[in-house]
Amino acid sequence: MNNQTLVARDLARVWHPCTQMKDLETLPPIPFRRGEGVYLEDYDGNRYIDAVSSWWVNLFGHANPRINAAIADQLEHVEHVMMAGFTHEPVIRLSEKLAEVTPEGLTRCFYADNGSSGIEAALKMSYHYWRNSGRGEKTKFIALTNSYHGETLGALAVGDVDLFKKTYSPLLMDSIIVEGPDCFHRDEGESWEAHSRKMFAQMEAALAEHAHEACAVIVEPLVQCAGQMRMYDPVYLELLREACDRHGVHLIADEIAVGFGRTGTMFACEQAGIAPDFMCLSKGITGGYLPLCAVVTTEDVYAAFYDDFETLRAFLHSHSYTGNPLACRAALATIEIFETDDVIARNRELAQVLHDSLHEAFGDHPHVGDIRQHGMIGAIEMCRDGDRNQPFPWQERRGLRVYRHGLTRGCLLRPLGNVTYFMPPYVITPDEIRHLVATAREGVDRATAD
Ligand SMILES: *Cc1c(COP(=O)(O)O)cnc(C)c1O
């Protein structure tokens, strides 16, 4: 078995996600046969650093012995059991753990089997809460420009990335999209905090106008990942929490990508000292092993559904693999690693290495208009003449050129448009980070040479 034969078979039968399949004829998918720590190895024996954590899911490396052992042990007991009318120890323990590690007041855990489904559950739950509370006229959601909450129709409707949304817009419910705090658009010399504060005025105005018909505001705390790793200051979340309370609107924190240490704290909301009404957690929750989403909410929300069956106030929403025991065990093993290995403290050192390397490599680059970072997520954005207001046309696909160069140096630097980002598993070493950044610098030089 080698790369070439597997690619031929793949291209004859498989339809890949988020992919123009024609692209794969010139840039074929890489078949991996094994993973170990930050490395993935293909069938020709090439090794690559997984700089994007396999789409932001992997936290503690591939084939992590501790997570492997937890799943193997669970396999000996029970692989899956439906959760309507039944339960199991892994989901009980995980729910206790999540209530303990998430911000104060989040005590009730509802499960879905992937991020988008979890978003759907949170949206429905928020609407249904208001309906059960005699406020059935609240049917709308407020979201930010450039936001991403998944690809199912409800999740897409509260997103705002044209590339994913525009084609399907005739199918989607109407959301109220508010100009967000994306600090890429700050003025020259303006701080992230000042820009984020300034942009909040638009959210305040939207809440004043729409609170009577709005169920919730949904945001990705601190980093809009699929929206090209655009970032903002925690102060925005602080202002948002206060305003949502004042206007009687829920706050849904989509920490699907940023949760579990990515932004430097266990959850991004912690940096603003706030607790949302709903926190959606997926991706890293299982260390990147199995699909699982937890929607963690408050006793207040829970209580609005609690009644005699005949009142039909219950949340009658389910997914077949809700609370899968194998996924819960992977999640428990993942959270345990955070507790025993002081991960957040070590990440602070790694984040400093990433910061220093990025600024050293790109600080004066003539075609890099922005270097941004929140904890373990770093990104650089290529712009014509290094000017943030002069983007390279997306059709030129310059990020893809950086990616192709990365492949020749053993780095998986999958881009988002003209943005190259670094979101590695936490088991990466400082030297591996420096290698990734040096490789990206070579790639950006090549990608912007013409
Ligand atoms: C990935 C992602 C989702 C969707 O999760 P899936 O498991 O891919 O459906 C939702 N919100 C954010 C912020 C994400 O990054």
Side-chain angles (χ1 to χ4, degrees):
M1 206 94 77
N2 61 22
N3 282 7
Q4 206 187 340
T5 53
L6 281 169
V7 166
R9 284 166 57 193
D10 176 287
L11 294 184
R13 286 287 177 262
V14 184
W15 194 342
H16 289 262
C18 201
T19 298
Q20 171 48 264
M21 291 299 293
K22 190 176 178 192
D23 276 357
L24 297 184
E25 290 162 21
T26 44
L27 189 57
I30 304 170
F32 289 122
R33 70 176 164 200
R34 57 189 295 270
E36 184 183 6
V38 293
Y39 289 95
L40 289 166
E41 183 184 306
D42 71 17
Y43 279 77
D44 291 347
N46 304 303
R47 277 167 36 108
Y48 304 86
I49 300 179
D50 187 358
V52 299
S53 296
S54 291
W55 255 351
W56 326 336
V57 300
N58 192 289
L59 298 187
F60 298 119
H62 296 280
N64 182 290
R66 289 157 76 177
I67 304 174
N68 286 3
I71 296 171
D73 179 69
Q74 185 59 37
L75 274 173
E76 298 294 321
H77 294 88
V78 62
E79 76 302 325
H80 184 69
V81 57
M82 64 184 282
M83 271 193 61
F86 305 95
T87 192
H88 49 83
E89 201 185 332
V91 81
I92 297 169
R93 280 171 52 210
L94 180 60
S95 305
E96 290 167 351
K97 232 347 145 195
L98 289 174
E100 186 185 315
V101 299
T102 52
E104 185 84 35
L106 297 172
T107 51
R108 288 282 169 179
C109 303
F110 186 89
Y111 294 90
D113 42 26
N114 63 75
S116 309
S117 304
I119 294 294
E120 302 284 343
L123 297 175
K124 284 174 68 177
M125 232 183 227
S126 173
Y127 158 76
H128 199 165
Y129 168 95
W130 293 114
R131 184 186 152 90
N132 281 353
S133 311
R135 300 291 307 276
E137 74 281 6
K138 279 168 154 315
T139 56
K140 295 224 182 312
F141 295 93
I142 300 176
L144 299 178
T145 46
N146 193 45
S147 57
Y148 177 88
H149 298 289
E151 310 275 2
T152 54
L153 295 177
L156 210 50
V158 291
D160 183 53
V161 178
D162 267 359
L163 186 64
F164 307 127
K165 181 175 186 178
K166 209 167 175 184
T167 307
Y168 306 102
S169 50
L171 306 184
L172 306 177
M173 65 176 172
D174 273 333
S175 294
I176 298 154
I177 305 287
V178 176
E179 181 83 21
D182 178 358
C183 288
F184 186 76
H185 299 301
R186 69 195 183 277
D187 293 331
E188 204 53 48
E190 190 181 29
S191 70
W192 280 24
E193 188 192 338
H195 179 76
S196 303
R197 262 185 203 284
K198 181 179 78 190
M199 295 312 291
F200 189 76
Q202 308 220 20
M203 178 59 78
E204 183 62 52
L207 280 165
E209 185 183 346
H210 297 289
H212 67 281
E213 55 174 349
C215 304
V217 176
I218 179 167
V219 296
E220 296 155 90
L222 302 188
V223 188
Q224 297 186 312
C225 293
Q228 306 200 317
M229 298 293 163
R230 293 292 179 78
M231 303 183 183
Y232 57 92
D233 190 270
V235 74
Y236 192 88
L237 298 172
E238 215 179 300
L239 296 169
L240 181 59
R241 175 71 278 182
E242 187 279 326
C244 283
D245 284 343
R246 184 159 35 82
H247 288 286
V249 171
H250 286 143
L251 173 57
I252 303 175
D254 176 355
E255 294 227 12
I256 288 170
V258 297
F260 295 97
R262 289 289 182 196
T263 66
T265 43
M266 189 65 166
F267 300 105
C269 282
E270 290 172 28
Q271 295 186 42
I274 63 147
D277 299 289
F278 301 88
M279 187 180 264
C280 299
L281 301 169
S282 187
K283 293 205 163 105
I285 193 172
T286 61
Y289 269 70
L290 289 160
L292 179 73
C293 184
V295 180
V296 194
T297 188
T298 62
E299 287 304 310
D300 176 48
V301 168
Y302 178 76
F305 294 81
Y306 186 91
D307 207 340
D308 295 324
F309 182 81
E310 297 73 25
T311 62
L312 294 178
R313 291 159 68 95
F315 190 56
L316 302 181
H317 176 107
S318 64
H319 297 284
S320 310
Y321 284 95
T322 293
N324 174 262
L326 297 168
C328 290
R329 285 296 296 274
L332 283 163
T334 298
I335 297 172
E336 191 180 301
I337 295 174
F338 275 101
E339 291 173 347
T340 56
D341 295 16
D342 207 1
V343 173
I344 299 293
R346 184 183 124 83
N347 280 0
R348 261 196 289 279
E349 292 165 26
L350 293 174
Q352 189 63 46
V353 173
L354 181 59
H355 174 272
D356 295 349
S357 337
L358 284 178
H359 283 268
E360 197 177 306
F362 295 105
D364 58 357
H365 198 285
H367 297 293
V368 170
D370 198 33
I371 306 172
R372 48 184 181 264
Q373 184 178 0
H374 259 310
M376 291 295 284
I377 308 174
I380 52 151
E381 184 147 350
M382 288 181 279
C383 303
R384 200 180 291 290
D385 306 322
D387 178 351
R388 276 188 282 124
N389 300 314
Q390 301 265 332
F392 283 119
W394 62 268
Q395 294 90 339
E396 294 176 5
R397 305 182 79 181
R398 288 175 191 262
L400 204 59
R401 302 189 207 173
V402 180
Y403 172 69
R404 295 180 88 125
H405 175 72
L407 292 181
T408 69
R409 294 279 191 278
C411 301
L412 291 186
L413 292 164
R414 191 185 154 91
L416 288 159
N418 293 324
V419 172
T420 295
Y421 67 93
F422 308 83
M423 194 163 168
Y426 306 155
V427 292
I428 197 165
T429 65
D431 278 343
E432 286 160 349
I433 290 176
R434 290 186 197 103
H435 175 61
L436 286 177
V437 173
T439 301
R441 166 73 205 228
E442 293 165 7
V444 169
D445 286 346
R446 282 170 172 73
T448 56
D450 60 314

